Amino acid sequence: MQKTQDLTQAQVERTERAQSAILAGKFQVTRTNPHQWTVKNGDKLPYVVTLRRSQGDSEEVNWACTCMDYQQRGPQILCKHIEGVRLLEAAQPQIHIDQEKESHMNETIPSNDGNLSDRLSRILWELRQPLDMSRVKRRQAPGMGSVPYLEGYDVIDRANSIFGFTWSFDLIGDPVIVRWQKKVLIWNQQEKRKIPALDANGNVQTEEVGLVYITGKVSVDLDGKTYSHADLGRCVFTGDTPEALDMALAGSATDCLKRCFRQLGEQFGNLLYDKEIAQNAGLDQNRSNSTSSTAIPTSKANSMPPTTSIVRKYGDGVSVNGNVSEQEAFDQFKEKTGRVPASKDELRNWLASQRATPTPASVAA
């Protein structure tokens, strides 16, 4: 009984917070497709709210949101972003959440059929939509931390969806391959710095590294006219094996394609180059995937005590700052080594050693 009352009270609080945000004009809700919305709360990144029907004959509908509140408390408790969408949709009598009318969609979204001007209107409408943050991934960056990115297949799939296959990507030059020998550096705990690694004979160890550059061009048919943009793609690799070079060539071509499409705006990740947005983009999605892979039964999750903030300190007494990437790296080091890193420099060096593999970092992108 008490548990039911707590759930009801928690839901009421979120509904009231949604109502207050709507009245204050803090919620910017945008419908991206019949069953998906983006909710932007002030200066924060937009969250994605989706609505799915239950399978079978049941008329039950399931809401989901990419925010942390829903990831931790849903689906028993709907977050304020979902409640905001529900309230705004209920305020429009012609829009039914459980039954979308095709005629309404034709008025909201420009048709993809008909003459060239209609097609252009639809393309421009698609390009102006906010980026669905669930598409954003993160990968390790040089040094410490991670950066957001869109995967190559995702960019191609989105281009096919928007332009209807009326686009092409062409390489406009031969790839340029640059190689050099790089000293292998290791962390010296006594000197508190990186020093060259030595072999059994006392010689400095080196490894071959390289960088592949490639130039390409994306062309798109817009209203009977061809729009094109050329850019440069690059990919680093380690080692002198054919496999490493082959993967670097493919990675540089993918990077080039993505950089060309970036000029077309937010749908192709241009927003991710904003430093403030890049700091957190994709983090909610990664946490969501982590939560779903280690799902906790609802009955146990509701009985778990609320989480408390974790204090992280290096061996030299320096506290880990609020940077999420540094905190994640700190926890990974502790999990794999069974101890805390002696200093930030040791953590940075450990991260660098984890990346010392023949697989190019940008291939996965």
Side-chain angles (χ1 to χ4, degrees), residues 322-336:
N323 183 281
V324 175
S325 298
E326 184 179 349
Q327 293 175 359
E328 292 176 350
F330 183 96
D331 293 340
Q332 291 174 8
F333 181 98
K334 186 177 179 181
E335 179 181 352
K336 291 187 177 182

Side-chain angles (χ1 to χ4, degrees), residues 140-145 238 348-359 361:
Q140 196 66 40
M144 183 181 298
T238 302
R348 185 180 291 110
N349 184 66
W350 178 79
L351 285 174
S353 67
Q354 298 299 301
R355 294 193 301 274
T357 63
T359 304

Side-chain angles (χ1 to χ4, degrees), residues 73-357:
R73 303 295 301 275
Q76 286 189 314
I77 298 178
L78 302 181
C79 66
K80 64 179 181 180
H81 309 105
I82 294 176
E83 289 297 85
V85 171
R86 281 159 45 90
L87 291 170
L88 289 173
E89 290 295 313
Q92 303 180 50
Q94 299 302 320
I95 301 178
H96 300 281
I97 296 178
D98 59 347
Q99 184 178 5
E100 294 298 330
K101 295 183 179 180
E102 184 177 356
S103 60
H104 172 76
M105 289 305 302
N106 290 337
E107 294 174 359
T108 305
I109 306 175
S111 173
N112 200 29
D113 301 324
N115 57 38
L116 293 176
S117 62
D118 290 338
R119 175 177 175 270
L120 179 60
S121 296
R122 181 181 179 87
I123 289 174
L124 294 177
W125 184 90
E126 292 271 9
L127 293 176
R128 293 190 183 108
Q129 300 311 300
L131 176 65
D132 181 354
M133 286 300 168
S134 65
R135 295 169 52 201
V136 180
K137 312 297 181 183
R138 295 191 76 89
R139 59 176 170 82
Q140 196 66 40
M144 183 181 298
S146 60
V147 294
Y149 71 99
L150 295 179
E151 295 180 293
Y153 83 89
D154 176 87
V155 171
I156 293 174
D157 185 65
R158 194 73 186 106
N160 289 340
S161 175
I162 294 176
F163 304 117
F165 303 98
T166 58
W167 66 274
S168 62
F169 173 64
D170 302 287
L171 298 179
I172 57 178
D174 295 330
V176 177
I177 304 172
V178 182
R179 299 175 184 265
W180 66 95
Q181 293 294 320
K182 176 184 175 182
K183 293 182 180 179
V184 178
L185 301 178
I186 59 174
W187 178 256
N188 186 288
Q189 185 64 31
Q190 293 181 342
E191 298 183 20
K192 303 296 183 182
R193 66 182 181 90
K194 292 181 180 180
I195 62 173
L198 304 178
D199 60 20
N201 298 322
N203 299 319
V204 175
Q205 295 185 27
T206 62
E207 61 181 356
E208 182 168 302
V209 295
L211 186 63
V212 176
Y213 294 95
I214 202 164
T215 307
K217 178 180 69 175
V218 160
S219 301
V220 180
D221 177 22
L222 294 177
D223 200 13
K225 299 179 181 179
T226 300
Y227 163 87
S228 63
H229 180 78
D231 214 314
L232 180 72
R234 58 188 182 274
C235 184
V236 299
F237 64 95
T238 302
D240 57 357
T241 64
E243 292 80 10
L245 179 58
D246 180 67
M247 295 181 69
L249 286 168
S252 62
T254 301
D255 184 59
C256 181
L257 179 144
K258 293 195 297 182
R259 291 183 63 84
C260 290
F261 268 118
R262 170 198 165 197
Q263 307 301 318
L264 289 172
E266 191 168 340
Q267 284 298 305
F268 297 99
N270 189 51
L271 186 72
L272 302 180
Y273 287 80
D274 184 302
K275 292 183 178 180
E276 293 184 0
I277 294 177
Q279 185 175 2
N280 297 311
L283 290 177
D284 286 349
Q285 179 67 12
N286 288 353
R287 293 195 187 101
S288 174
N289 292 339
S290 175
T291 302
S292 62
S293 64
T294 56
I296 301 174
T298 304
S299 59
K300 293 185 178 180
N302 291 331
S303 63
M304 293 175 63
T307 57
T308 57
S309 59
I310 301 174
V311 179
R312 300 174 177 85
K313 286 189 177 182
Y314 293 104
D316 57 10
V318 176
S319 298
V320 177
N321 61 31
N323 183 281
V324 175
S325 298
E326 184 179 349
Q327 293 175 359
E328 292 176 350
F330 183 96
D331 293 340
Q332 291 174 8
F333 181 98
K334 186 177 179 181
E335 179 181 352
K336 291 187 177 182
T337 64
R339 63 179 182 86
V340 300
S343 64
K344 182 179 292 188
D345 287 336
E346 184 184 16
L347 180 59
R348 185 180 291 110
N349 184 66
W350 178 79
L351 285 174
S353 67
Q354 298 299 301
R355 294 193 301 274
T357 63

